[in-house]
Amino acid sequence: METKVPALSMRHITKRFGSKVVANKDVSLDIYSGEILALLGENGSGKTTLMNMLSGIYYPDEGQIYLKGEPVDISSPREAFDLGIGMIHQHFKLVDVLTAAENIVLGIENEGRLNMKKAAARINDICSRYGFEIDPSKKIYDMSVSEKQTVEIVKVLYRGANLLILDEPTAVLTPQESEKLFAVMRNMKKDGKSIIIITHKMQEVLSVSDRVAILRAGEYICDRITAQADTQELTDLMVGHSVTLNISRPEPVRPKDRILVKDLTVRDIEGIVKLDHVSFNARSGEILGIAGIAGSGQKELLEAIAGLQPIEEGTIEYVEDDGSRESLIGKDPTEIADMGVALSFVPEDRLGMGLVGNMNLADNMMLRSYRQGHSIFTNKKAPAELAEHVVDELEVNTPGIGTEVRKLSGGNVQKILVGREISSAPTVLLTAYAVRGLDINSSYTIYDLINKQKEKGVAVIYVGEDLDVLIELCDRILVLCAGKVSGIIDGRNAVKKKIGAMMTQTEEAPKGGSDE
Amino acid sequence: MFNIVTIIQRAVVQGIPLLFGSTGEIMTEKSGNLNLGTAGTMYVGAICGVIGGFFYENGAGASFNPVLGTIIPLLSAILGSLIMGLIYSFLTITLRANQNVTGLALTTFGIGIGNFFGGSLIKIVGADVPTIVLSKTSACFKAGIPFAGDLGWFGEIFLSYSWLAYLAIIIALLCGYILKRTRVGLHLRAVGESPATADAAGISVTKYKYIATCAGSVIAGLGGLYYIMDYASGVWSADAFGDRGWLAIALVIFTLWRPTTSIWASILFGGLYILHIFIPTGSNLAVKELYKMLPYVITIIVLVISSLRNKRENQPPASLGLPYFREDR
């Protein structure tokens, strides 16, 4: 390997923010042509910052970057493009009202008059070469997340990038979409391009990368050839100490029906059926997992229970400890929340629901509790204490509780959201995508939190993307397919393949599992 | 009395300052800058034109040269409104001051500047009436198409205007073309929609914002110049310009940020603005005032309709009014 000149190398890179925060310290890294390098590290370990210095967003305080052995200076995104470096950010940088093609040619200086036909032809050319599917004249706001990501990747290829950096590309994709992306990445690799991928999902690291580089607390730890590495070793290196990678699944404590859903049907604004006669029960002291391809009705289901969705048909009942039943339909979200139903939904953009980016940690805590105040002035003390508590408990990486939420990294934002919902001592906890984009260590903290709630007798409904986690964590798994329940199976005897099949077809001949 | 040809002709004359103002404001807003200082900028454009014209007309005396008599006020107006644009840009882009506050301050400032220097000129002349008359300069700006009068109603509706009026339409068409068909326009739209995206694509957000805002201010300033030199026949008096600046900003919303739409829309607004003159209202001034409200009422209706339809293309630029700083998250 040492005989080859790396396509790009970083030498002794240091980046500080302000006087105290050191995001990267003396990092040296190489990437070769035709190689997929996975960059691994916990949330806040400086992966994105390091990559931003390659893409020209940040400028290193110390150190030097070499391209094919030549020292280069990357002080703006344009210079990065000119050097053939393209980054696909976690938050897509696309203009919604423009078409795919317009977004792709954005910022390229050649003739003044726009020739969209020529651009579209070149885009189609790139697509067929690497196996993308994209409609150049489609507007971004009409696109799914995965389509938007495709546009981002085509955008950098259109500029002739030889080094592609993908920052957590699969965090927002379904397993099928991820597979497609990996196929494309392998095509690009064959074409001699270098790819750096930041991801938290260990299976992905192992399946797609050639080499893994590990960062911890802003420092470069080591690299490993993927073929010779395993999940346990990589996790230990990343966290810095040995980690147990088992999700515990305590036996349910005296499970009793808590939420009864019968024949629930929900339509969206356009009249499309999102939930089609869904029936199930959620029990106290038990985790009910919900599996399904993104957009199969998971969001609508949780929102219907929380009182945020108009319901067309069916019943949702809350069962009190003494067995009396109360219908949740027709109650407003506040009343439902007061009954002890807490919803923590982590949307694709993370900040969309539940937290206000421009408000600080303490104030975001107050969003849940301000109604408890009785004077005209807000009580800032209790929320501040709660914020301190959540920060301590979940090891949130923040300068203080006075920091605005939008300044935190994605994983930390999520911890705050989940932590706040749990702190309201609910009897029913609805969570969706709670570990979306979180590193493995933080994910396990969240699983622990959810398990603790279960042990307290809370009925947990957990909407997840990762089937392995669902199988390990949940007592029962409800599989949704296009708004219909294709089966409820026992988590203890669940098989991944079977759930995957149920996710794509509703007519499951024998009802799976031993449940019901 | 109710002569449709006359009404159209008057509506166009009324509409041209609005067309300049709205075209300028559209270009500014497309870069994400909400410049509420447009009204002040138009005032400054007007007074600077008056100052330039005043000193040349009085200095040259009998040897008045029509070419210089055009160029000097024109350049003065451009310079004045450019400075207004630069002040706004420096405050909001470089210093990231609040755009609404800055714009409103500049409007107050521009009107004050206009009235102050207008008053100073009146003092220099020592006239009995509080106005300045620049008849020779005005004649240069009123120059139009010579044979228009021979063509009957056609000539009156289409050809009877001064060259600045045609310039306004050309600028509007040109701006529409730039926004829709050119790379510069695409980049400008991207800057206004999502500066972070534009920045990541290697577009200089600061440069685009500065240029669009300053160019927009200059275009708006020409509206002030047109008003004084053509519409008002070179007569300056304090506050005569009225609320036309605000009408221009309302037009931006009415046209859904399209300069080409603004061509007919500003004529419509011009017509509505003077409708009360043509409709016999008797001595009841209150009714006149109700008629004057029409342009604003229509703007609100358009806002309601375009919000209801909720089409993304009809919404204001997404980052309108927001400052941009690269290292912000």
Side-chain angles (χ1 to χ4, degrees):
Chain A
M1 193 155 64
E2 257 58 18
T3 51
K4 274 199 295 182
V5 178
L8 182 129
S9 25
M10 301 178 94
R11 284 287 168 269
H12 310 294
I13 300 286
T14 298
K15 175 74 185 171
R16 297 181 195 90
F17 291 109
S19 53
K20 280 190 194 139
V21 187
V22 184
N24 289 122
K25 197 174 156 197
D26 195 23
V27 176
S28 297
L29 190 72
D30 289 325
I31 169 111
Y32 297 87
S33 298
E35 180 187 51
I36 299 178
L37 174 75
L39 197 55
L40 202 57
E42 289 188 276
N43 294 118
S45 59
K47 303 174 302 270
T48 305
T49 308
L50 187 68
M51 291 301 111
N52 274 338
M53 284 187 273
L54 289 182
S55 66
I57 305 269
Y58 297 142
Y59 192 77
D61 294 327
E62 284 163 34
Q64 181 65 51
I65 298 167
Y66 299 87
L67 195 74
K68 295 199 177 78
E70 300 290 318
V72 288
D73 208 32
I74 309 169
S75 58
S76 74
R78 171 167 297 279
E79 282 170 48
F81 287 141
D82 293 344
L83 294 170
I85 302 171
M87 179 154 171
I88 290 95
H89 295 268
Q90 213 175 338
H91 302 278
F92 299 140
K93 298 204 188 267
L94 295 170
V95 181
D96 272 359
V97 296
L98 300 183
T99 64
E102 283 174 326
N103 268 289
I104 288 167
V105 301
L106 198 65
I108 300 173
E109 304 280 354
N110 37 36
E111 77 269 41
R113 203 175 172 284
L114 280 176
N115 188 343
M116 294 318 296
K117 250 193 208 145
K118 215 166 97 190
R122 242 197 93 191
I123 291 165
N124 286 330
D125 190 46
I126 292 173
C127 289
S128 56
R129 185 150 151 213
Y130 295 108
F132 296 107
E133 283 159 34
I134 189 177
D135 172 7
S137 59
K138 196 168 175 184
K139 298 262 179 173
I140 301 296
Y141 59 74
D142 280 333
M143 289 188 170
S144 70
V145 180
S146 129
E147 283 176 296
K148 287 182 192 172
Q149 187 178 63
T150 309
V151 174
E152 284 277 27
I153 298 173
V154 174
K155 191 162 112 181
V156 300
L157 290 173
Y158 191 92
R159 276 146 226 261
N162 288 315
L163 172 66
L164 285 92
I165 305 163
L166 296 111
D167 190 358
E168 290 189 39
T170 58
V172 293
L173 299 183
T174 61
Q176 290 85 343
E177 289 167 338
S178 300
E179 270 315 312
K180 246 190 195 165
L181 173 69
F182 294 153
V184 165
M185 282 169 65
R186 291 187 189 108
N187 284 341
M188 293 193 283
K189 180 174 113 178
K190 261 183 238 151
D191 205 38
K193 311 234 182 249
S194 318
I195 300 169
I196 301 180
I197 175 172
I198 301 179
T199 177
H200 293 306
K201 299 183 188 166
M202 248 357 136
Q203 302 104 297
E204 294 178 0
V205 172
L206 296 175
S207 82
V208 79
S209 72
D210 300 310
R211 198 157 57 90
V212 192
I214 294 158
L215 286 186
R216 191 196 311 149
E219 288 182 68
Y220 179 78
I221 301 302
C222 61
D223 69 342
R224 287 280 182 275
I225 303 292
T226 309
Q228 297 157 12
D230 62 55
T231 308
Q232 187 66 51
E233 184 198 6
L234 293 177
T235 311
D236 292 350
L237 284 169
M238 183 176 102
V239 179
H241 52 83
S242 186
V243 182
T244 349
L245 285 183
N246 288 314
I247 306 175
S248 64
R249 176 163 43 197
E251 282 299 315
V253 244
R254 281 171 271 107
K256 270 193 299 185
D257 284 346
R258 174 89 344 145
I259 296 269
L260 301 174
V261 175
K262 214 166 176 249
D263 283 334
L264 181 68
T265 301
V266 168
R267 281 175 197 274
D268 68 4
I269 303 170
E270 271 114 47
I272 297 163
V273 177
K274 283 293 182 179
L275 289 176
D276 191 1
H277 294 91
V278 168
S279 303
F280 67 92
N281 55 350
R283 299 178 191 148
S284 64
E286 188 193 76
I287 300 177
L288 175 67
I290 297 192
I293 296 167
S296 302
Q298 297 96 322
K299 183 176 173 216
E300 287 76 12
L301 181 60
L302 296 196
E303 287 188 350
I305 298 172
L308 298 168
Q309 274 280 348
I311 287 151
E312 185 167 290
E313 209 189 310
T315 58
I316 304 174
E317 286 178 315
Y318 180 87
V319 185
E320 298 278 0
D321 284 335
D322 57 14
S324 62
R325 296 178 178 191
E326 197 169 349
S327 173
L328 291 183
I329 294 171
K331 288 197 177 350
D332 68 37
T334 331
E335 287 174 293
I336 294 175
D338 286 345
M339 291 171 74
V341 179
L343 172 66
S344 78
F345 185 93
V346 179
E348 282 160 2
D349 63 358
R350 287 179 179 167
L351 273 178
M353 267 169 94
L355 294 174
V356 180
N358 276 332
M359 283 173 27
N360 68 31
L361 264 56
D363 288 351
N364 266 298
M365 294 295 162
M366 198 150 67
L367 286 178
R368 261 259 178 252
S369 62
Y370 70 96
R371 275 187 224 90
Q372 293 158 8
H374 294 293
S375 78
I376 57 167
F377 299 107
T378 50
N379 176 2
K380 293 233 174 195
K381 216 174 139 199
E385 278 166 7
L386 177 56
E388 292 279 11
H389 178 74
V390 171
V391 168
D392 279 356
E393 187 88 340
L394 304 187
E395 295 166 18
V396 178
N397 191 357
T398 167
I401 58 162
T403 309
E404 285 136 27
V405 166
R406 74 185 153 86
K407 290 191 177 153
L408 302 182
S409 77
N412 287 313
V413 169
Q414 251 153 292
K415 287 184 188 170
I416 305 270
L417 178 63
V418 177
R420 184 187 68 188
E421 295 310 318
I422 289 175
S423 72
S424 64
T427 52
V428 179
L429 177 65
L430 312 170
T431 99
Y433 312 119
V435 295
R436 186 171 252 169
L438 285 191
D439 64 54
I440 197 157
N441 204 27
S442 308
S443 299
Y444 279 77
T445 318
I446 301 271
Y447 301 144
D448 270 354
L449 280 171
I450 291 172
N451 264 329
K452 268 186 205 146
Q453 294 298 306
K454 167 182 165 182
E455 281 166 42
K456 273 195 211 159
V458 175
V460 180
I461 299 182
Y462 176 90
V463 176
E465 294 168 301
D466 192 331
L467 291 183
D468 294 306
V469 171
L470 279 168
I471 291 169
E472 279 187 72
L473 179 72
C474 301
D475 299 299
R476 289 183 303 150
I477 300 168
L478 182 155
V479 187
L480 277 178
C481 173
K484 285 191 185 139
V485 178
S486 43
I488 300 178
I489 53 180
D490 191 329
R492 283 171 182 78
N493 331 319
V495 186
K496 192 175 167 188
K497 240 178 157 176
K498 188 171 175 196
I499 299 179
M502 287 166 76
M503 280 163 68
T504 48
Q505 62 197 66
T506 27
E507 306 309 323
E508 185 72 6
K511 247 200 171 177
S514 57
D515 194 63
E516 308 275 334
Chain B
M1 189 189 68
F2 201 82
N3 182 340
I4 189 74
V5 174
T6 313
I7 292 187
I8 293 175
Q9 200 269 345
R10 294 284 301 275
V12 173
V13 173
Q14 276 291 343
I16 294 300
L18 304 181
L19 178 56
F20 273 118
S22 58
T23 308
E25 182 68 11
I26 288 169
M27 294 312 275
T28 307
E29 291 196 9
K30 277 289 177 187
S31 78
N33 277 353
L34 177 65
N35 188 356
L36 296 178
T38 292
T41 306
M42 293 175 86
Y43 254 90
V44 168
I47 191 63
C48 288
V50 168
I51 294 171
F54 177 85
F55 285 110
Y56 180 67
E57 193 169 322
N58 286 357
S63 59
F64 184 84
N65 177 338
V67 176
L68 283 176
T70 309
I71 290 176
I72 291 174
L74 186 66
L75 288 182
S76 315
I78 289 174
L79 186 69
S81 38
L82 180 66
I83 291 173
M84 289 292 279
L86 280 173
I87 296 174
Y88 179 86
S89 302
F90 180 70
L91 286 171
T92 61
I93 303 166
T94 308
L95 302 180
R96 295 194 290 277
N98 181 298
Q99 296 189 7
N100 297 340
V101 176
T102 309
L104 291 173
L106 278 185
T107 285
T108 319
F109 173 72
I111 295 173
I113 288 266
N115 289 342
F116 174 77
F117 284 104
S120 312
L121 293 184
I122 291 163
K123 228 173 177 181
I124 294 174
V125 181
D128 304 331
V129 280
T131 52
I132 296 179
V133 185
L134 300 170
S135 44
K136 282 186 197 160
T137 311
S138 168
C140 303
F141 281 93
K142 283 200 144 192
I145 299 163
F147 53 84
D150 310 331
L151 293 171
W153 64 269
F154 181 82
E156 194 170 346
I157 291 180
F158 292 104
L159 306 171
S160 66
Y161 314 104
S162 68
W163 61 273
L164 261 184
Y166 298 107
L167 182 67
I169 292 169
I170 292 169
I171 290 177
L173 289 172
L174 193 67
C175 287
Y177 179 81
I178 289 174
L179 284 177
K180 222 171 167 179
R181 298 259 174 254
T182 67
R183 207 163 279 281
V184 171
L186 178 66
H187 292 183
L188 180 61
R189 281 186 287 154
V191 167
E193 290 290 338
S194 170
T197 305
D199 195 12
I203 298 168
S204 169
V205 174
T206 309
K207 188 175 98 188
Y208 270 87
K209 278 188 169 236
Y210 257 92
I211 291 175
T213 307
C214 291
S217 288
V218 168
I219 295 169
L222 290 178
L225 183 71
Y226 173 87
Y227 173 81
I228 290 297
M229 294 304 172
D230 186 336
Y231 178 83
S233 304
V235 179
W236 168 274
S237 49
D239 287 333
F241 189 66
D243 51 4
R244 287 179 175 79
W246 294 113
L247 215 49
I249 292 174
L251 256 171
V252 174
I253 300 163
F254 180 88
T255 62
L256 304 171
W257 293 265
R258 291 184 182 112
T260 40
T261 311
S262 193
I263 295 172
W264 63 262
S266 52
I267 294 169
L268 173 72
F269 270 41
L272 292 171
Y273 196 64
I274 52 161
L275 195 62
H276 63 94
I277 301 171
F278 294 94
I279 290 172
T281 52
S283 56
N284 192 344
L285 285 173
V287 178
K288 268 192 198 306
E289 293 303 321
L290 283 179
Y291 275 109
K292 284 189 187 173
M293 281 164 62
L294 276 176
Y296 299 101
V297 173
I298 289 179
T299 303
I300 292 172
I301 293 170
V302 168
L303 254 182
V304 170
I305 294 171
S306 67
S307 306
L308 280 180
R309 281 183 59 206
N310 204 13
K311 208 171 151 217
R312 291 293 295 271
E313 282 82 358
N314 294 343
Q315 302 304 313
S319 87
L320 187 63
L322 306 173
Y324 176 65
F325 179 47
R326 182 183 287 173
E327 301 208 356
D328 245 10
R329 282 212 275 180

